[in-house]
Amino acid sequence: MNKTYANVIPNTFFVTKGSGESDLELHAGSYHMALYDAGISDFNIMVYSSVLPATAHLATMDEIDLPPFGSEMKTIMSVSHGFQDEFVSAGIVYAWMYKDENFDEKVGGLVCEVSGRYRIEELESRLIRVINDLHRKTYSQYYLGELNFVTEGITIEKRYGTALASLCFVDFKMPEAPEKTGE
């Protein structure tokens, strides 16, 4: 008999950032070099949307065992590409949400991404506006905790350049699905 599993739940994550340049190519050049700079070039990047389960927890890259070479790395990522002499930046902001003003019971987390040609101060300001707007419009029944930023910027000297900031999941909980009755 086969087991049925419910949706996987992200468990452990780390944050990272990187930038890269290339005279040859964007995706196989500066983007790959930005992944390399961020320490995640050995993986096939899969992009998630922007929520965290309450049970997820942050670790540093030194505290975890990275998945094997060539495996999938599920991420919430901000990426900005540009050309020579441009400044590009990418950033994420994440915060936990709580049921009450005492911040006792965590509900989950929000992650927002912004990318473009913003100076880092302007990027952080936009990230604050975006997460506050998202919280107000969709989760105002919860209290938003401390904001955490990951930002990267680069003035491009070669033909192509990329900046990225990422929250990366390294393991998942896999609950069994409840048995269906009446089948």
Side-chain angles (χ1 to χ4, degrees):
M1 178 169 185
N2 292 330
K3 287 186 177 183
T4 302
Y5 294 94
N7 290 356
V8 297
I9 302 168
N11 186 44
T12 307
F13 67 91
F14 67 91
V15 294
T16 188
K17 62 184 181 175
S19 56
E21 297 179 278
S22 174
D23 282 324
L24 300 176
E25 191 59 51
L26 185 67
H27 192 269
S30 65
Y31 175 64
H32 182 81
M33 296 313 299
L35 293 172
Y36 180 81
D37 189 40
I40 55 175
S41 61
D42 292 351
F43 311 105
N44 291 300
I45 302 300
M46 307 290 291
V47 180
Y48 272 19
S49 62
S50 305
V51 293
L52 294 170
T55 55
H57 64 277
L58 174 66
T60 67
M61 287 181 82
D62 294 333
E63 296 172 324
I64 58 168
D65 293 322
L66 288 172
F69 186 94
S71 63
E72 291 180 356
M73 172 139 322
K74 294 169 175 68
T75 69
I76 300 173
M77 184 181 288
S78 176
V79 180
S80 185
H81 303 292
F83 301 98
Q84 188 171 18
D85 297 326
E86 292 179 335
F87 180 84
V88 295
S89 60
I92 61 172
V93 59
Y94 66 96
W96 296 107
M97 294 183 297
Y98 299 87
K99 282 195 175 181
D100 62 36
E101 66 274 4
N102 296 324
F103 299 97
D104 291 330
E105 189 176 346
K106 194 186 295 182
V107 175
L110 290 179
V111 186
C112 293
E113 315 87 20
V114 172
S115 61
R117 286 160 176 71
Y118 306 108
R119 293 284 163 208
I120 297 301
E121 303 78 24
E122 187 181 359
L123 180 71
E124 288 181 356
S125 178
R126 280 187 78 77
L127 285 164
I128 292 167
R129 288 195 312 269
V130 168
I131 198 168
N132 285 332
D133 184 63
L134 182 65
H135 173 254
R136 183 178 47 80
K137 289 179 178 174
T138 59
Y139 298 104
S140 62
Q141 71 271 32
Y142 303 122
Y143 292 83
L144 191 63
E146 177 184 354
L147 303 182
N148 301 278
F149 298 91
V150 182
T151 59
E152 179 75 356
I154 181 173
T155 300
I156 303 164
E157 295 178 5
K158 295 185 177 183
R159 185 172 180 189
Y160 304 103
T162 301
L164 66 84
S166 186
L167 186 150
C168 305
F169 300 103
V170 293
D171 60 24
F172 301 82
K173 294 182 180 179
M174 197 166 178
E176 285 191 39
E179 297 225 6
K180 293 183 180 178
T181 58
E183 288 186 10

